[in-house]
């Protein structure tokens, strides 16, 4: 018995992702990695996985898989209906599946990206320490490409047959309490750490940025989000290209902000106001065209404090045992 | 006796040259994000050569001494982005540690960059923009080829795509602006010029640089321990080869294709 899942339908855009490629930006290799780290964190908690297990990031929805093994699955992130053999199942909850089961993920009702995983993660050969797919660089996942019909996703064998006797590794199912499930909104307040060339923006230009609402334009992807709203001007025209960190807010000559995310190019030459707070980046990555974005300023010290608090808070959350109704 | 004095003079001069390169006096660090600093080299020029060598030497030093707290260093021209683990260090203390290490950078660190010679098959059949560059510069194609090979270039930045190395500076005679409309497909190994920089495309990609030849050397191989042949600060010389040599060195002409829009 082979332990794998087969792609029946890849959906709109489904990619193998993990925490991403860290430490290779000096070679021009981008980070990649899951766009919503919080949804990914819960996926791995629910599946009792290490925090870098390879999963599928499903954008918009539409993924259909054929299970060719016994496994435990889970879907977190955007609210996409999950069915096993046509039976609707809970999200943010792990489920047992058996060989022959058909798992379908519908289209997002709220949020944009969901995360589908299995116990111990999908098995891919890491490139530069990561299985994350970056299509532009043809790295990670399945030959650096998005999932397509017929692709096979290997995973750990949970049941083995020795001397005619079947032995199954028992994996418990867990659920995240309803109150702890993140909600995704189309109006998001993003906290910003001022940095890079923010002095190149005069006080009134910074005020424009912080006092106006920006809309996510139709140009948004894992590389970055182009926003649309009141123009912001800087005193800098072009810079020598310099490294770009996660969440950097770039202001090109048209005055419309671009927020750079996981698949950002490693170097850029536009002036930057600063960078968004990573926990808010997770929320932004769940937004699509037309979402409303407001910005507020925070200090780097405050951002650190909030991250430490968020980390200890989520660690203190207990998962609930979940008794599967099917399987 | 004069011999001894001369000896001490040389020793002192060497000592001076090493100790006076106190990079700490020439850098500033600023917050870039919640877990990133951006470092700028405030020295516009230095006698020894290209300032990107200093950035490269500092990047190596930081990578060697601060690997427990730093996650990325991205050197480029006169800046360096430094990402760190904010659970282990903060902006202020990291900035102090960077300044302390910058004070230790010596000319020896700068000289440790490697020099690479890259073979190039310069020819109009593989260099779609070679004749136009020659016409614009009012020189012959042969002169463009000669002029391109003359300098020892420094890798000033790596980015845009994995292993894409920005080399400077091109001789002013053959400075050529980027194409108005980028090509949708530039072949792997294409040697090209944009403004005062030159580069080799490590993979097939879109691009707006002016193509003058083809290099058979692999510049980026994700399956090796040192995936990028070049690092920021390295030196590059180009050497003209003919078609036969290009093929012998593993170059593939049948894969060569330039798509114009």
């Amino acid at each position: 018995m082979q332990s794998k899942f087969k792609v029946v339908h890849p959906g709109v855009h489904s990619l193998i992702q993990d925490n991403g490629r860290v430490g290779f930006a000096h070679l021009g290799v981008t980070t990649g990695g899951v766009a919503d780290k919080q949804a990914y964190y819960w996926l791995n908690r629910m599946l009792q996985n290490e925090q870098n297990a390879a999963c599928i990031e499903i954008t918009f929805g539409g993924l259909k898989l054929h299970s060719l093994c016994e496994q435990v699955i889970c879907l977190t992130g955007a609210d996409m209906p999950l069915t096993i053999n046509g039976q609707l199942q809970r999200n943010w909850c792990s489920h047992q599946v058996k060989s022959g089961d058909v798992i379908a993920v519908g289209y997002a009702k709220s949020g944009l990206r969901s995360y589908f995983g299995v116990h111990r993660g999908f098995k891919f050969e890491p490139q530069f320490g990561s299985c994350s797919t970056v299509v532009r660089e043809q790295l990670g996942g399945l030959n650096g490409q998005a999932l397509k019909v017929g692709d096979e996703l290997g995973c750990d064998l949970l049941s083995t047959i020795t001397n005619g006797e079947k032995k199954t590794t028992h994996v418990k199912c867990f659920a995240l309490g309803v109150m702890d499930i993140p909600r995704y909104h189309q109006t998001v307040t993003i906290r910003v750490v001022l940095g890079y060339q923010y002095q190149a923006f005069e006080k009134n230009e910074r005020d424009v940025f912080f006092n106006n609402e920006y809309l996510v334009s139709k140009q948004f992807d894992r590389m970055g989000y182009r926003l649309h709203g009141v123009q912001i001007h800087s005193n800098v025209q072009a810079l020598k290209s310099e490294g770009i960190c996660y969440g950097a807010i770039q202001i090109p000559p048209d005055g419309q902000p671009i927020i750079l995310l996981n698949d950002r190019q490693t170097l850029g030459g536009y002036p930057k106001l600063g960078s968004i707070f990573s926990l808010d980046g997770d929320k932004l990555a769940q937004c699509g065209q037309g979402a409303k974005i407001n910005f507020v300023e925070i200090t780097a010290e405050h951002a650190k404090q909030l991250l430490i608090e968020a980390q200890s808070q989520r660690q203190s959350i207990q998962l609930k045992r979940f008794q599967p109704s099917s399987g | 006796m004069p011999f001894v004095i001369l000896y001490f003079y040389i020793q002192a001069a060497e000592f001076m040259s090493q100790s006076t390169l106190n990079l700490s006096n020439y850098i500033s660090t600023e917050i870039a994000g919640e877990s990133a600093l951006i470092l700028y080299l405030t020295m516009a020029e230095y006698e020894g050569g290209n300032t990107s060598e200093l950035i490269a030497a500092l990047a190596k030093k930081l990578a060697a001494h601060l690997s427990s707290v730093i996650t990325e260093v991205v050197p480029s021209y006169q800046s360096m982005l430094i990402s760190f683990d904010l659970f282990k260090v903060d902006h202020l203390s990291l900035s102090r540690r960077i300044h302390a290490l910058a004070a230790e950078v010596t000319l020896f660190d700068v000289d440790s960059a490697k020099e690479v010679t890259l073979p190039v098959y310069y020819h109009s059949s593989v260099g779609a923009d070679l004749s136009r560059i020659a016409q614009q510069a009012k020189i012959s194609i042969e002169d463009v080829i000669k002029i391109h090979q003359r300098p020892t270039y420094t890798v000033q930045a790596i980015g845009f795509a994995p292993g894409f190395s920005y080399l400077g500076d091109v001789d002013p005679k053959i400075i050529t602006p980027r194409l108005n409309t980028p090509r949708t497909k530039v072949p792997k190994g294409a040697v090209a010029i944009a403004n005062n920089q030159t580069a080799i495309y490590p993979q097939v990609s879109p691009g707006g640089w002016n193509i003058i030849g083809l290099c058979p050397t692999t510049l980026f191989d994700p399956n090796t321990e040192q995936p990028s042949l070049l690092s920021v600060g390295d030196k590059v010389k180009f050497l003209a080869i003919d078609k036969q040599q290009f093929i012998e060195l593993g170059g593939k002409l049948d894969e060569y294709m330039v798509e114009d829009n």
Side-chain angles (χ1 to χ4, degrees):
Chain A
M1 192 170 76
Q2 279 182 301
S3 202
K4 64 190 177 192
F5 288 74
K6 204 163 180 171
V7 177
V8 179
H9 195 280
V12 181
H13 194 56
S14 302
L15 301 169
I16 298 297
Q17 293 293 343
D18 57 20
N19 264 330
R21 241 159 235 116
V22 180
F24 299 96
H26 63 289
L27 304 180
V29 177
T30 194
T31 324
V34 291
D36 179 350
K37 281 208 179 346
Q38 295 176 70
Y40 176 64
Y41 166 86
W42 288 116
L43 178 80
N44 286 323
R45 275 276 301 269
M46 234 100 62
L47 291 164
Q48 298 167 274
N49 286 347
E50 286 180 21
Q51 275 300 325
N52 198 32
C55 71
I56 307 172
E57 181 179 275
I58 307 163
T59 304
F60 297 114
L63 177 73
K64 197 184 229 183
L65 300 174
H66 188 188
S67 170
L68 299 174
C69 58
E70 280 180 38
Q71 252 288 356
V72 174
I73 61 147
C74 185
L75 184 72
T76 67
D79 187 12
M80 298 180 188
L82 168 71
T83 59
I84 300 172
N85 301 325
Q87 293 280 312
L88 192 65
Q89 304 291 339
R90 276 176 67 177
N91 294 13
W92 301 91
C93 178
S94 47
H95 304 274
Q96 284 178 6
V97 293
K98 51 189 191 309
S99 187
D101 284 352
V102 175
I103 302 145
V105 178
Y107 291 90
K109 288 184 276 185
S110 75
L112 183 68
R113 300 167 211 274
S114 70
Y115 295 88
F116 179 90
V118 295
H119 183 57
R120 297 203 193 111
F122 290 110
K123 302 297 166 201
F124 288 96
E125 199 57 49
Q127 281 181 292
F128 301 112
S130 166
C131 300
S132 284
T133 312
V134 179
V135 176
R136 188 180 76 246
E137 295 179 352
Q138 295 168 36
L139 287 178
L142 283 147
N143 308 312
Q145 301 299 312
L147 296 191
K148 55 187 189 308
V149 177
D151 278 346
E152 293 185 347
L153 317 173
C155 58
D156 264 7
L157 206 59
L158 293 192
S159 53
T160 49
I161 296 168
T162 321
N163 301 329
E165 208 175 313
K166 190 174 163 186
K167 201 180 166 206
T168 303
T169 309
H170 188 64
V171 182
K172 291 172 185 165
C173 287
F174 292 97
L176 182 62
V178 176
M179 297 304 286
D180 296 317
I181 294 174
R183 303 270 178 263
Y184 303 115
H185 304 283
Q186 288 292 293
T187 301
V188 177
T189 297
I190 288 181
R191 287 159 283 189
V192 174
V193 177
L194 287 184
Y196 282 105
Q197 296 86 30
Y198 79 95
Q199 296 98 329
F201 297 86
E202 282 173 18
K203 173 85 172 62
N204 58 324
E205 295 295 330
R206 268 147 44 195
D207 288 347
V208 166
F209 178 74
F210 286 109
N211 294 329
N212 284 283
E213 194 165 71
Y214 286 84
L215 300 180
V216 173
S217 75
K218 65 179 177 190
Q219 287 166 295
F220 65 93
D221 56 20
R222 294 177 39 84
M223 195 169 172
Y225 271 57
R226 278 177 188 264
L227 306 184
H228 186 73
V230 185
Q231 291 184 1
I232 307 146
H233 300 286
S234 77
N235 300 326
V236 182
Q237 282 317 304
L239 298 162
K240 282 257 182 197
S241 286
E242 59 183 30
I244 304 174
C245 72
Y246 171 86
I249 304 164
Q250 199 171 257
I251 312 289
D254 69 5
Q256 303 291 341
I258 303 170
I259 302 177
L260 295 159
L261 299 179
N262 303 66
D263 289 3
R264 67 193 177 277
Q265 68 278 28
T266 56
L267 299 178
Y270 290 128
K272 297 163 228 55
L273 259 168
S275 300
I276 69 168
F277 179 45
S278 56
L279 291 183
D280 297 338
D282 294 335
K283 293 179 195 158
L284 178 66
Q286 291 290 359
C287 289
Q289 186 181 0
K292 294 168 181 153
I293 312 294
N294 294 288
F295 296 99
V296 291
E297 190 187 331
I298 56 165
T299 63
E301 297 78 42
H302 192 193
K304 180 175 183 168
Q305 196 53 45
L306 289 169
L307 272 170
I308 291 168
E309 282 167 21
Q311 199 187 55
S312 71
Q313 200 193 344
R314 70 185 188 183
Q315 276 167 357
S316 71
I317 292 172
Q318 300 280 319
L319 296 178
K320 295 172 170 52
R321 276 295 304 277
F322 181 67
Q323 297 300 329
S325 56
S326 69
Chain B
M1 228 16 202
F3 221 89
V4 173
I5 292 166
L6 183 65
Y7 175 76
F8 278 112
Y9 178 75
I10 291 167
Q11 288 293 302
E14 269 185 24
F15 176 73
M16 286 295 283
S17 69
Q18 302 227 335
S19 62
T20 50
L21 188 72
N22 184 351
L23 271 189
S24 174
N25 295 330
Y26 300 101
I27 61 168
S28 69
T29 54
E30 286 173 40
I31 290 173
E34 71 186 23
S35 57
L37 280 174
I38 182 107
L39 176 151
Y40 294 108
L41 186 65
T42 53
M43 187 196 291
E45 281 177 43
Y46 97 108
E47 285 174 23
N50 201 306
T51 47
S52 46
E53 294 168 0
L54 303 179
I55 284 286
L58 182 56
K60 276 182 197 157
K61 197 118 194 150
L62 299 187
H65 290 85
L66 295 175
S67 62
S68 61
V69 293
I70 284 179
T71 53
E72 301 266 10
V73 288
V74 186
S76 175
Y77 301 102
Q78 291 184 295
S79 75
M80 179 159 36
L81 181 76
I82 300 150
S83 300
F84 58 89
D85 183 340
L86 90 173
F87 290 99
K88 293 182 181 158
V89 72
D90 60 32
H91 291 86
L92 193 63
S93 60
L94 181 59
S95 178
R96 285 200 190 112
R97 289 164 82 173
I98 290 167
H99 271 91
L101 285 168
E104 291 175 10
V105 173
T106 63
L107 285 175
F108 175 77
D109 297 310
V110 177
D111 291 341
S112 67
K114 68 175 181 289
E115 186 168 320
V116 176
T117 298
L118 294 172
V120 182
Y121 172 41
Y122 296 97
H123 194 268
S124 293
S125 64
V126 294
D129 303 307
L130 193 54
S131 60
R132 186 171 42 81
I133 293 171
Q135 275 168 22
Q136 283 171 3
K138 297 189 175 70
I139 53 175
S140 66
I141 286 177
E142 289 67 36
D143 283 341
V144 175
I145 296 168
K146 255 186 230 155
I147 291 168
H148 187 254
Q149 287 176 81
R150 205 178 286 151
T152 298
Y153 298 100
T154 301
V155 180
Q156 295 175 323
I158 296 182
F160 167 67
F164 190 96
S165 307
Y166 293 79
L167 309 174
D169 288 341
V170 159
D171 187 293
K173 281 195 200 76
I174 56 169
I175 284 177
T176 315
R178 277 184 175 78
L179 304 178
N180 283 334
T181 309
R183 292 186 171 97
T184 52
K185 197 175 172 188
V186 174
K188 179 181 173 176
V191 179
I193 295 172
N195 302 320
N196 63 341
Q197 293 187 305
T198 184
I200 307 121
Y201 283 78
Q203 298 88 10
V204 175
S205 78
W209 292 39
N210 302 278
I211 305 170
I212 58 170
L214 265 187
C215 172
T217 310
T218 298
L219 288 135
F220 191 83
D221 181 353
N223 303 315
T224 56
E225 207 156 302
Q226 294 283 332
S228 180
L229 177 66
L230 301 173
S231 305
V232 171
D234 284 351
K235 303 289 176 195
V236 175
K237 289 283 287 179
F238 290 112
L239 179 70
I241 52 168
D242 61 26
K243 191 173 175 176
Q244 190 55 39
Q245 289 169 308
F246 174 76
I247 291 160
E248 281 165 13
L249 288 166
K252 291 183 179 76
L253 284 170
D254 50 347
E255 287 176 14
Y256 185 84
M257 187 173 62
V258 175
E259 276 179 11
D260 279 305
N261 286 343

